[in-house]
Amino acid sequence: MKSLSPLEQALHAARALVLADLVAGDVAEADVVSLVEDSVTQRRWWVEQWPDGVEYVAGLIAQDVQDALLERYGRWPLCPVCGSGDPHALDVEPELGPDPHWVCGKAGVKVAAVGSLGRATGGTRSS
């Protein structure tokens, strides 16, 4: 059995992290998962052009999916920290760097690593 290249390993890991966050937010519908796949395809090309960017793909895929969801459905993931005021989405920081985290820009706090939203928010939201 052929082993995966470091690029493919990074893309598979990034896909798994973002899918875990989508599941935690109870938004991992088939059409949303296809947004993840679209991003993985685009980022595969991007990292092939810039191999040093391989450690950034998880954050970039999270941002891609967040942007695509905003266009189609609305803000995601909603901030679990701020209980009052207008609902707002978390941001990925660093925008281009290793070890991406979801952060609340309003409160200035790290909420969770990308892929760990379920632990930070106590699982799925109630409808």
Side-chain angles (χ1 to χ4, degrees):
M1 185 169 155
K2 185 179 156 189
S3 63
L4 294 176
S5 70
L7 166 60
E8 289 301 318
Q9 289 175 13
L11 289 168
H12 283 284
R15 175 192 291 118
L17 292 172
V18 174
L19 287 173
D21 286 345
L22 289 166
V23 168
D26 206 20
V27 292
E29 304 297 327
D31 56 339
V32 176
V33 172
S34 72
L35 298 175
V36 177
E37 297 305 324
D38 292 346
S39 175
V40 168
T41 300
Q42 293 167 6
R43 292 303 173 177
R44 178 179 289 114
W45 178 88
W46 181 83
V47 177
E48 286 169 351
Q49 308 310 305
W50 189 49
D52 289 346
V54 72
E55 63 185 328
Y56 308 151
V57 294
L60 291 169
I61 291 172
Q63 290 175 63
D64 291 346
V65 171
Q66 185 179 42
D67 292 346
L69 283 171
L70 181 59
E71 288 177 18
R72 296 181 191 198
Y73 303 105
R75 288 179 288 251
W76 174 86
L78 291 179
C79 178
V81 176
C82 299
S84 59
D86 290 332
H88 57 277
L90 298 173
D91 299 312
V92 175
E93 286 186 6
E95 285 188 25
L96 186 62
D99 192 28
H101 279 71
W102 293 108
V103 299
C104 171
K106 286 189 177 187
V109 297
K110 280 186 180 181
V111 175
V114 168
S116 299
L117 274 180
R119 282 174 273 187
T121 60
T124 59
R125 62 174 186 212
S126 58
S127 343

